[in-house]
Amino acid sequence: ERIGKDSSYEQEGKVQFVVDAVYAMAHALHSMHKDLCPGKVGLCSKMDTINGTQLLKYIRQVNFTGIAGTPVVFNMNGDAPGRYEIYQYQITNTTREYKIIGHWTDQLHLDTNEMQWPGATQEVPSSICSQPCRPGQRKKIVKGIPCCWHCENCDGYQYQADTYTCKMCRFDLRPNGNHTGCDPIPIVKLEWSSPWAVIPVLIAVLGIMATLFVVATFVRYNDTPIVKASGRELSYVLLTGIFLCYATTFLMISAPDVFICSLRRIFLGLGMSISYAALLTKTNRIYRIFEQGKMSVSAPRFISPASQLVITFSLISVQLLGVCIWFGVDPSQAIIDYEDQRTANPKMARGVLKCDISDLSLICLLGYSMLLMVTCTVYAIKTRGVPETFNEAKPIGFTMYTTCIVWLAFIPIFFGTSQSAEKMYIQTTTLTISVSLSASVSLGMLYMPKVYVVLFHPEQNVPKRKRSLKAVVTAATMSNKFNPKGALRPNGEAKSELCESLETQVLASKQTYISYSNHAI
């Protein structure tokens, strides 16, 4: 009788393993009998008592075909080899079925030609949880799945410190190309060949040449009336300040070090202080002479050349004293600023070699010069009504008005570019050009007309007639009495419109004013 054929009995599916186990025991005993009882039927004395350890060795050595048609063997550990059929659920045009595509017996056997993949492609997809991360990426473990991760880039100024960590580079370093390490940030400074430096240097060179030409002309014609009337002592002081203003350009463009930075602190504001201190002394002197002439026939005090020099150098000493205090509080040094050009893109990051002069320090450094400039402008406005050509009143007035315009334009440009990547270049160029333009305005308006007369019209370089101080007072009084609006006219051309004779008298008195001023100088 056959189970399932001659009866309705359904055999349990695991019975084949029991049968194979019985057969494995039988084959082991048979092999053991052949070795221990060769040629003997039945048990011999060596098998009267079965040694289990010895029998186990024979069991592990069996090799036969089981009732399912598969070999029955054991590995070195005594385990039966795994045998698996590998199926794939496949969908064809009309059918859906599990199809055998391989098997496992000690190793995998796959028939890839029988396999199907999504998208009807023959390419085998990747069968891993996570791809390896590229250099410069860190692994971010998926919560709850420790063997799976996401790859995150080490971006910005970060570098890959290890498999799972990104760290920031040191302040003076930036990540390399693949963010696996850090490299030094390049150091930049204003080069002499840069267009930002060429233009200021060209202006400074031309200005220095013009200044030296004026000085040479004044020295050559030192005893002529025009040179004397301009106040030789203060003129040379003013020309020195103009020369230093031009020379400052070379200090601002030179590579910063302790020596250069110290010179910048000293001379950046010193040249302007010398210039405006001399101009302020001149305008103040003109104002005092003019006001004194309205009230008294006596000359005002401290109008001699020696007094003027003392006043000028006293004003200059304030600037020098402030710089000395600054040196004592904060010694000068050159620094590398890594924050000035620390851009979002590390490849564009640069360290800027510069002096330790902040924007606030620069304002304080130039602040005193600005104060002198504003004060001088106020006196220039007050003396705009003095007689024409009186001690350079008109040229000084135009000089100060133009200088104020230059520095009013400088302030928004300088501070408006504080966030720019080109800050160092723009601010340095703007500052040097502004200082040079201020010097050029003073040089052009105050000295070039005199040089022109001295060199090309010597016939005009003659002394004026001298008159008494009483005539000066009379002229000023009559001018104010008969024409009160004269002081508001350009250059103080106060001409009386009452009669021709009065106009003649006032003009004659103006010439007397000039003569008195020249005599005082």
Side-chain angles (χ1 to χ4, degrees), residues 340-501:
D340 192 42
Q341 293 191 26
R342 191 177 180 86
T343 57
N345 183 3
K347 294 181 180 179
M348 303 302 294
R350 297 291 184 271
V352 180
L353 177 62
K354 64 179 185 179
C355 296
D356 61 335
I357 301 178
S358 63
D359 292 347
L360 179 60
S361 300
L362 182 64
I363 291 298
C364 296
L365 183 63
L366 298 177
Y368 181 66
S369 300
M370 298 294 181
L371 177 62
L372 293 177
M373 180 186 70
V374 172
T375 308
C376 186
T377 303
V378 172
Y379 275 108
I381 295 174
K382 288 184 176 182
T383 58
R384 71 188 187 280
V386 302
E388 187 175 0
T389 70
F390 183 82
N391 263 13
E392 306 169 307
K394 181 178 180 180
I396 290 177
F398 287 156
T399 298
M400 299 316 301
Y401 307 151
T402 308
T403 303
C404 289
I405 293 174
V406 170
W407 287 101
L408 285 176
F410 159 79
I411 292 175
I413 296 176
F414 186 87
F415 294 100
T417 57
S418 58
Q419 303 300 324
S420 172
E422 305 292 332
K423 171 186 175 180
M424 175 184 67
Y425 307 104
I426 297 176
Q427 291 190 342
T428 302
T429 302
T430 303
L431 178 60
T432 53
I433 290 180
S434 297
V435 174
S436 295
L437 287 180
S438 300
S440 299
V441 169
S442 301
L443 187 67
M445 292 190 176
L446 297 178
Y447 293 103
M448 287 307 174
K450 295 181 176 60
V451 172
Y452 176 77
V453 172
V454 169
L455 296 180
F456 299 104
H457 294 282
E459 71 278 1
Q460 298 181 14
N461 193 5
V462 294
K464 302 294 184 179
R465 290 183 302 169
K466 295 185 178 180
R467 298 201 179 196
S468 65
L469 182 59
K470 184 176 181 180
V472 176
V473 178
T474 304
T477 305
M478 294 179 65
S479 177
N480 292 333
K481 178 178 180 181
F482 292 102
N483 195 5
K485 294 183 179 181
L488 301 178
R489 294 180 181 177
N491 201 35
E493 295 177 356
K495 296 181 179 179
S496 174
E497 299 174 357
L498 298 178
C499 61
E500 185 70 21
S501 60

Side-chain angles (χ1 to χ4, degrees), residues 213-281:
F213 176 74
V214 172
V215 172
T217 303
F218 268 51
V219 172
R220 171 67 178 80
Y221 299 94
N222 191 56
D223 293 325
T224 59
I226 285 185
V227 176
K228 289 182 178 181
S230 63
R232 288 174 295 185
E233 294 78 6
L234 285 184
S235 292
Y236 290 128
V237 172
L238 178 54
L239 287 171
T240 302
I242 292 174
F243 176 85
L244 291 178
C245 287
Y246 288 124
T248 301
T249 297
F250 300 96
L251 292 177
M252 297 301 296
I253 298 176
S254 299
D257 56 29
V258 175
F259 179 70
I260 293 296
C261 292
S262 299
L263 293 181
R264 285 186 186 181
R265 286 191 182 187
I266 296 172
F267 290 104
L268 181 58
L270 182 61
M272 296 177 59
S273 296
I274 293 175
S275 300
Y276 296 132
L279 286 176
L280 176 58
T281 305

